[in-house]
Structures are given as structure tokens and as C-alpha cells.
Amino acid sequence: MKPINVALCSFGMSGYVFHAPFAAKNPNLNLYAVWERTKNEAEKKYPDIITFRKLDDLLADEKIELVIVNTPSVTHYEYAKKALQANKHVIVEKPFVASTEEATELIALAKKNKLKLSVFHNRRYDSDFKTVQKVLENNSLGQLVEAHIHYDRYHPGLSPKAHKEVDTAAVGGLYDLGSHLIDQALHLFGKPNAVFADLAIFRPKAKVVDYFDVKMFYDTFRVTLKSSLFVKEVTTGFTLHGTLGSFVKSRADVQEAALQAGDIPGGEGYGIELEKEMGLLHAEIEGRENRIKVPTLAGNYMEYFDGIVAAIRNDEPLPVTGEEAAMVIEVIEACMTSNQEKRVVSLT
């Protein structure tokens, strides 16, 4: 299989941690180019990479097949559109775009040009989430009654990334961490009937949402998504209750920290959590009460990139489709309406 030449639209944390290592490691991808306006940071780690100073020059290179739009979220729509118009397959960092209108336009453009468009919802490939998914697939809890998905941190200060603190489209906690949780919920449970959301700003001098509490309404169960930057004692990332019992699991995927430390994807121990982070299943199994630890599945973001290769080369289904990512944005928009109008917003 001819490797796919990949170009990054930036080499900040997203490029350095989440994209370049996988494009460089995957035998069917080739980390070919990067757009850096003034610096040469990518060349320090990847000497063979080509550095472009202008996006138009990068998009004009016919050797590039796949462009990863990993720039600030407010630019995603503009740059993804340019890449699709330049006949490139595209991966967009989350959040996809600011609105469903923009998402719909990009999806249509990709289809018109017979190109692949995906969004990097990598948290589907976290160890904790994969384990939760397995517990649900095994029907270990019986009929689900409620699920709580949290992404909490203690970070009361403003982000050093200035663009994350400007009150513009596609910025703030609901678009940032919220898009992860919404995608996880949609991937597990499908589209809800309705949502109710409480959004707030608690950090001093902050201008963008840094707290959210979202309730998703399904026919027979409820899902709560929550995030705060004022949680010093983080407990569980996932709590699920069903008619046969409960499952609780910490949010403990190790991939981001390992990649930040410079570890190579796929190395020994990659994606494997500490044993102490195993989830707890307390449920009735085969008529007997059990309270047991559940081994955690290994996390692996490379599965996403393998899926991208299969989609481009073999026309297999994308690991994350534009339509799936657009549904995340639809839920976000409904949450913003709910918070503003203080009411439950229907999604049916």
C-alpha cells in the first residue's frame, strides 16, 4: 500500500502530541509537511518534514493527500473548506466547527468532491471509555437507568493558550471538553430525545464557559455530562447504574501523558493503565451478587489512524464521520439554547 502523505496545519500541542507521532509511526502514513508560519519546531523532531509558511502553498502541493486541521477551533471551518476545495482528504480536530450549518456545508463539499472528512474524536479510543463500552456490550448492568460521564480538573487559572479564552465561536468548555463527552455519549447511546444544560463561568476574569452540567433524555434512561475546573478530588469519570447493578471507573487513560513525555505509540506498555485504576462492577451476575474489579482494556489512538487509512485506501467506513461530529455540534447548540432559555430543548 502506498503511504498517504500527511500535512499538519500547526505544530503546537495538538500536532506534537496527538497527530505527528501517529502519522510518523503508522507504516501506511507519511508525515510529509507542516504549516508553521515563523518557527521550525517540527523539523527539530522530524528532520525530513517539509515546512510551509503559507497554507495556500501547502494545499498547492499535489503530493499531499491528507490534511489535518489542528489549528484553533475558530479557524476549523475556513481551513477545512480550503483543504477540501484543494482536493485533500481532511481530519478536523475537535470541536468540528462552530455550527451545524458549517458542518453541513463541509460534509456536502466532501461528498461532492468524493473526499473523506473525519473529526478527531480520539476519546473513543481511551482505555477507560473502551472498558465502559465493553461492560455495556456484555449487558453486565441489565437495563441501563442512568449514566454519568465527567471530565473534571483543578485548573482555576486562565489557559496559556490565549485563543481558548476569547469569547468567540466554537470556544469554551462545552465545545472543548464537552465535545469529547457528548461524542462518547452519542457513540454509546445514540441521539437523545432532548437536553437540558446549565452552563457557567466560575474562574476569575474568565470570559468563556468553564463549567457545564448537561442532562440528556432518552426513552428509558438518563445521561449526565459534567465538567468543572474546580475539582481537586477527582473521583470517577464514568458511573453507570442499571437494573442489575452499577459500574464505576476513573478517567485514567495514560496516552496523553505518555505522548507528552515523548513516548512512541505502540511501544511496550503503551495505553495500559495502572492496575489500581480498574473499574468496579457491583452487580447481580447469574443470580449471584458480585463486587469485582474489571480489567481495563488498553487505549490506542492508532486505531483511529488505521481507520483513516482503510477509509482512504479501501473505501471502508470512517472511524468518525462528519455526520457523527455534526450531531455533536447539534447537541452543543441545543445545550446553549437550553441554558439561555432555561428549558428542556427537544432534539427529535
Side-chain angles (χ1 to χ4, degrees), residues 67-105:
V67 171
I68 299 178
V69 179
N70 58 322
T71 48
S73 55
V74 70
T75 66
H76 287 182
Y77 165 73
E78 177 188 354
Y79 296 162
K81 183 176 180 178
K82 283 187 174 183
L84 291 169
Q85 289 172 330
N87 203 37
K88 312 296 185 186
H89 303 292
V90 174
I91 294 172
V92 185
E93 253 293 354
K94 63 83 202 165
F96 185 10
V97 285
S99 68
T100 51
E101 182 180 1
E102 291 178 346
T104 300
E105 182 181 346

Side-chain angles (χ1 to χ4, degrees), residues 105-166:
E105 182 181 346
L106 293 181
I107 292 166
L109 180 58
K111 289 182 177 179
K112 176 183 176 183
N113 292 350
K114 298 181 180 179
L115 297 166
K116 304 299 182 181
L117 171 65
S118 183
V119 177
F120 190 60
H121 280 298
N122 60 308
R123 298 297 174 182
R124 294 187 188 184
Y125 304 92
D126 279 356
S127 52
D128 39 50
F129 178 75
K130 291 173 71 175
T131 304
V132 168
Q133 191 173 22
K134 186 68 172 179
V135 167
L136 288 170
E137 288 174 354
N138 289 342
N139 198 33
S140 301
L141 305 177
Q143 182 175 319
L144 187 69
V145 175
E146 61 177 314
H148 299 258
I149 307 178
H150 284 227
Y151 205 136
D152 295 317
R153 295 171 172 173
Y154 185 76
H155 198 295
L158 299 181
S159 172
K161 300 176 183 178
H163 65 85
K164 286 182 172 285
E165 299 291 352
V166 180

Side-chain angles (χ1 to χ4, degrees), residues 21-22 24-26 45-46 258-259 261-271 302:
F22 296 93
K25 177 70 174 179
N26 192 304
K45 189 169 179 62
Y46 304 100
L259 293 165
D263 289 1
I264 303 299
E268 184 176 355
Y270 177 84
M302 189 63 86

Side-chain angles (χ1 to χ4, degrees), residues 136 139-147 189 218-222 240-246:
L136 288 170
N139 198 33
S140 301
L141 305 177
Q143 182 175 319
L144 187 69
V145 175
E146 61 177 314
F189 309 119
Y218 293 84
D219 287 342
T220 58
F221 60 91
R222 303 289 182 263
L240 296 91
H241 302 298
T243 55
L244 295 180
S246 301

Side-chain angles (χ1 to χ4, degrees), residues 26-46:
N26 192 304
N28 296 311
L29 296 173
N30 176 40
L31 184 57
Y32 176 84
V34 65
W35 176 26
E36 289 194 80
R37 295 154 186 78
T38 57
K39 299 180 180 180
N40 296 289
E41 294 300 316
E43 291 180 12
K44 295 177 183 178
K45 189 169 179 62
Y46 304 100

Side-chain angles (χ1 to χ4, degrees), residues 127 130-132 134-135 247 249 273 275 277-279 292-298:
S127 52
K130 291 173 71 175
T131 304
V132 168
K134 186 68 172 179
V135 167
F247 180 68
K249 174 71 182 77
E273 289 184 14
E275 188 173 330
E277 300 291 352
M278 284 195 295
I292 58 175
K293 291 286 189 177
V294 176
T296 307
L297 300 178

